[in-house]
Amino acid sequence: MNTLDPALEKFLRGLPKAELHIHIEGSLEPELIFALAQRNGVKLDYPDVDSLRAAYAFSDLQSFLDIYYAGASVLLKPADFHDMAYAYFERARADNVIHAELFFDPQTHTERGVPFAAVMEGLKSAQVKAKAELGVDSELIMCFLRHLDEDAAFETLELAKPYLDDIIGVGLDSAEVGNPPEKFERVYAAARELGLRSVAHAGEEGPPSYIHGALDALKVERIDHGVQSLKDPALVERLVREQIPLTVCPLSNIKLCVFKQMADHNLRELLDAGLVATINSDDPAYFGGYMNQNFVETFAALGLNREHAITLAENSFRGSFVSAERKAGYLAQVEAYCAAN
Ligand code: ADE
Ligand code: ZN
């Protein structure tokens, strides 16, 4: 493994950043899974934390999703969602993530009989506390599970209607291949009518045509992952022209075998092509690290430099869903940090 200049590492760690691709259920550490299982009397298939962690050896997205949905089964009460999200916010603060847009998967919970209101209550109270006690800003993006059907997505959108002030947008996650974006064209149109912003996972394992589909059928404003875009030069040209942000998740891509090793990751090519790439942690409890771990490992393996870091931080704020005024405030923080470090 390549080493990272200690001065660059310090710079990366302290740099103010936004995280735009974090599944809050993917921040559930094994220790918390066991604590919540005990609190709620939920039986797990693993006898202890070590054996659960030992199962985190994935061959592709589906092999991960099977364990990820099992882990989420311990979440029942508002306090469980609160504890999970607040633990993430503490990690975010430690990594100088000052703004985070959290994905959550309501269907994973409502399908088990957990009320939508319980999910919202717990996540919202954690957001309020994180702002007050840690100074971390956040928004919520509600994801539709793409292995389920359009009707289920519409039902979820209906459940979200009382919470439109608390949810900034919709996303699309779960098993990508075989579930193209077009399946959700109508529900995205309905979400747009309600004033919701939109993103979708596309081009994680799936082909470039899924990225075109997310842009054309779903009219998304950001692409989650998008690393397969380099296979299609016309698509790259379009993404650059339209300045569509890509929320890239390097450690996730290695753990899910999208790339064999970090040295093979295409983040450097994405940046060199002029794409608005960002670094994110995806499901940090499962993939070996939070934001700064993603930065450090990617920079070490790809030989990225200070200019790349500044571009990535700026891209993260520019690509966020906050107001122009708040973006300017965050970008000023990046500028001040760079001037002082
Ligand atoms: N749900 C949680 N993490 C995901 C990922 N990386 N891709 C698709 N769905 C997910
Ligand atoms: Zn993801």
Side-chain angles (χ1 to χ4, degrees):
M1 159 121 154
N2 296 339
T3 54
L4 189 58
D5 168 26
L8 178 57
E9 179 170 344
K10 183 163 177 278
F11 181 79
L12 296 176
R13 290 188 182 281
L15 187 61
K17 341 163 160 74
E19 174 144 62
L20 305 179
H21 186 157
I22 157 80
H23 302 262
I24 199 59
E25 293 90 347
S27 74
L28 204 45
E29 292 286 344
E31 289 76 10
L32 188 53
I33 291 179
F34 273 83
L36 296 182
Q38 191 162 34
R39 186 157 100 187
N40 289 329
V42 174
K43 170 122 181 47
L44 294 168
D45 284 342
Y46 299 88
D48 54 40
V49 166
D50 289 341
S51 57
L52 175 58
R53 213 184 281 278
Y56 293 180
F58 311 115
S59 51
D60 57 13
L61 175 58
Q62 190 59 53
S63 64
F64 156 68
L65 290 171
D66 294 341
I67 287 193
Y68 164 82
Y69 293 129
S73 69
V74 300
L75 297 160
L76 296 180
K77 301 273 186 284
D80 307 333
F81 292 92
H82 174 101
D83 292 351
M84 169 176 70
Y86 198 73
Y88 165 73
F89 286 127
E90 289 182 315
R91 304 274 198 156
R93 175 60 274 172
D95 284 0
N96 291 297
V97 170
I98 58 175
H99 173 69
E101 299 188 356
L102 313 186
F103 294 145
F104 70 112
D105 287 340
Q107 288 157 294
T108 299
H109 314 301
T110 52
E111 277 205 322
R112 296 180 291 113
V114 175
F116 194 96
V119 181
M120 291 305 298
E121 184 184 329
L123 295 180
K124 277 169 58 178
S125 66
Q127 286 182 281
V128 170
K129 186 170 178 207
K131 176 66 185 161
E133 297 189 9
L134 306 171
V136 178
D137 293 325
S138 61
E139 299 288 354
L140 296 177
I141 297 176
M142 174 179 92
C143 289
F144 302 118
L145 296 181
R146 68 199 303 162
H147 67 272
L148 301 179
D149 63 19
E150 184 195 35
D151 285 350
F154 267 111
E155 282 162 25
T156 305
L157 187 61
E158 199 57 38
L159 291 174
K161 283 187 178 167
Y163 300 97
L164 291 179
D165 288 344
D166 304 311
I167 297 174
I168 201 162
V170 293
L172 186 63
D173 64 3
S174 191
E176 184 184 10
V177 175
N179 294 298
E182 289 77 5
K183 185 173 160 185
F184 297 96
E185 181 165 0
R186 290 185 295 196
V187 76
Y188 266 67
R192 216 168 29 251
E193 283 293 304
L194 294 171
L196 292 164
R197 314 288 297 264
S198 62
V199 300
H201 283 54
E204 178 182 15
E205 289 183 339
S209 62
Y210 281 30
I211 303 177
H212 281 292
L215 295 170
D216 294 334
L218 307 185
K219 308 204 184 316
V220 298
E221 300 168 71
R222 296 198 297 248
I223 295 289
D224 295 314
H225 293 291
V227 292
Q228 303 299 336
S229 58
L230 289 185
K231 290 180 176 161
D232 180 344
L235 173 61
V236 171
E237 201 190 301
R238 175 182 187 183
L239 292 167
V240 171
R241 191 175 59 246
E242 298 180 12
Q243 289 287 287
I244 304 289
L246 304 184
T247 62
V248 178
C249 305
L251 280 172
S252 163
N253 293 152
I254 305 312
K255 286 285 189 241
L256 301 188
C257 307
V258 174
F259 299 97
K260 194 158 177 283
Q261 53 187 356
M262 197 60 96
D264 300 332
H265 199 285
N266 66 9
L267 180 67
R268 192 184 186 114
E269 282 102 310
L270 296 172
L271 289 168
D272 287 349
L275 289 159
V276 187
T278 61
I279 286 184
N280 307 271
S281 70
D282 205 4
D283 300 283
Y286 292 89
F287 298 153
Y290 290 75
M291 272 292 258
N292 280 352
Q293 193 67 26
N294 273 274
F295 267 82
V296 165
E297 291 199 32
T298 308
F299 274 64
L302 302 181
L304 301 180
N305 60 32
R306 178 184 165 104
E307 288 313 310
H308 291 117
I310 297 169
T311 299
L312 286 160
E314 289 176 345
N315 287 350
S316 74
F317 292 115
R318 291 208 178 101
S320 75
F321 285 155
V322 303
S323 67
E325 195 182 346
R326 268 176 64 191
K327 277 186 195 180
Y330 291 136
L331 290 167
Q333 287 192 52
V334 174
E335 202 180 327
Y337 176 80
C338 294
N341 291 276

